[in-house]
Amino acid sequence: MAVTFIQDAAGARALGDALRHVSSLAVDCEAAGFHRYSDRLCLVQLSTESRTYVLDPLAVDLAPVLKDPLEDPAVAVLLHGAAYDLRLLHRDLGLFVHGLVDSQVAASLLGEAGISLQALLERHLEVRLSKKHQRADWARRPLSEEMLEYAANDTRYLHPLTERLSELLVH
């Protein structure tokens, strides 16, 4: 699945059109708190079932684009370990997520031995992710292709993972 990097108003408008009719949206955020005195939202990753986007909130105002899909209770908003991301989205963009589905909570309810995204992806989807850029300075620009790919992986697999965990919760 290719990654589309959104870093200008035209790209944000096109993204808004693409998100107009989604029923689910995987979301993750990157901040620069490890390298700065205070953290701030530096990247937002989104995946629909067929596309992955990495958005630059330092270059373009994302609130108008993300407000409708993230605040629509009919849209399932998939996150993993949502607390920090929800705080960033609210504090930095003024957004309130309504259709939250947290795969970390689902894994906890299932009694999974490891509830990190990396552990769950390995166990349920046989996907192994690098954590090379886990402590990267997400506020520095330009971002390398490798960093964009790393960031995209945080949402790229959330749809199939959430589906798998939901199946296990029902049975």
Side-chain angles (χ1 to χ4, degrees):
M1 185 183 320
V3 178
T4 303
F5 187 37
I6 306 290
Q7 56 186 338
D8 59 32
R13 281 191 300 276
L15 175 64
D17 291 341
L19 298 180
R20 198 169 315 278
H21 301 290
V22 297
S23 59
S24 63
L25 190 60
V27 179
D28 188 55
C29 300
E30 303 296 343
F34 186 74
H35 297 275
R36 306 280 186 285
Y37 178 71
S38 62
D39 64 353
R40 71 177 189 185
L41 182 64
C42 294
L43 219 54
V44 176
Q45 303 95 277
L46 302 175
S47 290
T48 66
E49 292 202 39
S50 60
R51 303 266 334 238
T52 295
Y53 305 88
V54 176
L55 319 175
D56 187 349
L58 303 179
V60 64
D61 182 11
L62 299 176
V65 174
L66 298 180
K67 183 171 181 52
D68 286 345
L70 294 185
E71 293 189 351
D72 182 347
V75 175
V77 180
L78 316 178
L79 287 111
H80 185 83
Y84 185 66
D85 300 297
L86 293 173
R87 185 176 70 80
L88 288 171
L89 290 167
H90 173 65
R91 185 196 67 200
D92 294 359
L93 299 179
L95 300 175
F96 294 93
V97 173
H98 289 277
L100 177 64
V101 179
D102 190 331
S103 52
Q104 190 174 61
V105 171
S108 294
L109 291 171
L110 289 166
E112 293 278 345
I115 60 171
S116 71
L117 180 59
Q118 186 172 14
L120 293 170
L121 290 175
E122 285 184 22
R123 184 174 313 111
H124 294 287
L125 302 180
E126 297 180 2
V127 171
R128 287 173 178 64
L129 298 180
S130 165
K131 297 314 264 177
K132 178 179 179 180
H133 296 290
Q134 187 170 21
R135 294 186 184 250
D137 185 353
W138 294 102
R140 294 188 74 195
R141 298 295 186 267
L143 296 170
S144 69
E145 288 295 321
E146 190 177 73
M147 290 174 76
L148 291 172
E149 192 66 28
Y150 169 91
N153 282 336
D154 283 343
T155 59
R156 178 176 278 146
Y157 303 103
L158 277 179
H159 281 90
L161 177 63
T162 300
E163 183 178 321
R164 175 69 180 133
L165 295 175
S166 295
E167 290 169 0
L168 292 171
L169 283 168
V170 169
H171 293 89

